[in-house]
Amino acid sequence: MAGLLFDLRSRARLAARTAAFTAAGVIFALTGVAFLTVALWVLLASYENTLVASTVIGLIYLLLGICFFLLGSRSQPAVVAPRPTPQAPPKTDDPFLRVAEAFAVGLQAGRSARRPRR
């Protein structure tokens, strides 16, 4: 049961991480597109220094958006807790258990001795 909960938590954590990086990628990519649109407009309007600044800022945000998309789409294997191997019940040296076992063996011997032999 603990392994199932651990697996569920690790999958939820991976899904949240993927969603966060994808959302950040969308925001940066849209910002980059907006700056590149403004830069293209400035380029077409006139060739000045604001054009260079807008283009550089737009390219930086677009590259950041692409990096976040790549980080968000990269999947990591989920960490799975090792499953315990089935083991034989442990031998106990409990004296009450030995007395109960001896009583059961004696009871069985008494029953078999009481049966009439043919």
Side-chain angles (χ1 to χ4, degrees), residues 22-116:
T22 302
V26 167
I27 291 170
F28 281 123
L30 289 177
T31 304
V33 168
F35 272 106
L36 287 175
T37 303
V38 170
L40 182 61
W41 178 78
V42 172
L43 176 67
L44 293 174
S46 64
Y47 187 72
E48 292 182 2
N49 287 340
T50 57
L51 165 70
V52 175
S54 296
T55 304
V56 168
I57 291 172
L59 285 174
I60 288 172
Y61 276 111
L62 187 62
L63 287 175
L64 281 173
I66 290 171
C67 288
F68 276 104
F69 272 131
L70 291 176
L71 285 173
S73 66
R74 189 177 83 187
S75 63
Q76 293 178 348
V79 179
V80 179
R83 296 185 181 178
T85 58
Q87 298 175 354
K91 299 263 183 182
T92 59
D93 291 332
D94 188 21
F96 295 112
L97 185 62
R98 288 186 175 188
V99 169
E101 185 181 11
F103 177 76
V105 169
L107 189 63
Q108 185 63 31
R111 284 185 182 162
S112 64
R114 211 174 15 165
R115 289 187 189 146

